[in-house]
Amino acid sequence: DAGVTQSPTHLIKTRGQQVTLRCSPISGHKSVSWYQQVLGQGPQFIFQYYEKEERGRGNFPDRFSARQFPNYSSELNVNALLLGDSALYLCASSLQATNTGELFFGEGSRLTVL
Amino acid sequence: GQQVMQIPQYQHVQEGEDFTTYCNSSTTLSNIQWYKQRPGGHPVFLIQLVKSGEVKKQKRLTFQFGEAKKNSSLHITATQTTDVGTYFCAVGTGGFKTIFGAGTRLFVKA
């Protein structure tokens, strides 16, 4: 079975641009979470979606938004990019709606903002 | 919001030496998870602890959950070069969020 897949794997943007990152969860997983990982730090929670509804939001500005589709795939959008948005964006899927089970991470999308 | 402190930040060991990383919370935890991230990779789930005082072993790895459910540790016996990476603890908060510690980066010298 395929694991969590994310696209694109790498991308370069300039300040002020917008970016869309995509994630397909493991088949049967209805929960998707997004994390931002800056080099040398732990993953920072951005969003969690379950059954197409936002269930949790981290301390990120409104420039960050996400949605989950009927097939449980998800998109993360970041508007008005700043240099500080350069990071590895990780998507994780899980079976549970709540934070009581294993998170399965994708390989991530590495965003560089110039 | 919920935070977890993880120490040490870095650990250099000679192959064959033991390694321990600690995770501490100011509040009682419902559960704690441990993940490993290899250099250039993504976090991979190792284990989840739920019960007070719980101890679980996976080969050379021993995981403990404190009696008060406010701290946890991961101990690796006789490290190998394959143990290189960053070890994160992660805790649930607010029902839906899983918050990660800053991680302990392990370097193993052959």
Side-chain angles (χ1 to χ4, degrees):
Chain A
D1 284 342
V4 177
T5 57
Q6 292 187 243
S7 63
T9 55
H10 296 81
L11 68 167
I12 300 174
K13 295 284 187 178
T14 56
R15 281 178 296 176
Q17 285 190 312
Q18 175 264 345
V19 68
T20 298
L21 308 177
R22 296 175 176 82
C23 172
S24 292
I26 291 172
S27 178
H29 287 193
K30 299 181 179 179
S31 174
V32 170
S33 298
W34 286 96
Y35 288 82
Q36 180 196 66
Q37 187 175 29
V38 174
L39 193 63
Q41 298 183 15
Q44 298 295 310
F45 176 82
I46 310 176
F47 288 109
Q48 195 248 3
Y49 277 78
Y50 182 79
E51 288 282 13
K52 302 179 288 293
E53 289 188 8
E54 181 185 307
R55 298 298 183 99
R57 185 184 181 111
N59 189 26
F60 280 80
D62 292 343
R63 299 185 296 107
F64 289 77
S65 63
R67 54 180 176 169
Q68 187 177 34
F69 298 98
N71 65 354
Y72 304 111
S73 67
S74 178
E75 285 183 352
L76 175 70
N77 294 284
V78 187
N79 294 322
L81 286 168
L82 303 174
L83 296 180
D85 295 330
S86 295
L88 180 67
Y89 289 84
L90 294 161
C91 172
S93 75
S94 63
L95 276 171
Q96 292 86 356
T98 58
N99 50 19
T100 57
E102 176 179 355
L103 292 176
F104 295 81
F105 284 88
E107 298 287 343
S109 294
R110 185 164 297 282
L111 170 65
T112 301
V113 182
L114 301 176
Chain B
Q2 174 72 55
Q3 284 190 334
V4 285
M5 301 301 295
Q6 203 171 343
I7 55 171
Q9 188 176 6
Y10 300 96
Q11 185 82 58
H12 291 257
V13 299
Q14 196 75 29
E15 189 174 25
E17 292 182 337
D18 292 356
F19 159 78
T20 305
T21 174
Y22 302 89
C23 188
N24 298 296
S25 170
S26 58
T27 60
T28 302
L29 304 170
S30 58
N31 65 75
I32 192 164
Q33 299 176 353
W34 286 92
Y35 290 79
K36 176 184 179 181
Q37 185 173 23
R38 295 181 185 274
H42 58 279
V44 175
F45 176 84
L46 294 175
I47 208 159
Q48 176 169 276
L49 305 173
V50 178
K51 300 178 182 178
S52 169
E54 189 171 15
V55 178
K56 288 188 176 181
K57 293 189 177 183
Q58 291 179 350
K59 297 182 180 178
R60 294 178 295 105
L61 278 60
T62 301
F63 304 84
Q64 290 188 313
F65 203 6
E67 293 289 341
K69 300 182 72 173
K70 289 185 176 182
N71 57 74
S72 180
S73 65
L74 158 58
H75 179 83
I76 302 178
T77 302
T79 54
Q80 300 175 358
T81 55
T82 54
D83 296 324
V84 164
T86 302
Y87 293 84
F88 295 99
C89 62
V91 301
T93 179
F96 300 101
K97 301 178 185 180
T98 298
I99 305 301
F100 282 72
T104 296
R105 188 166 181 182
L106 173 63
F107 298 87
V108 180
K109 185 175 181 181

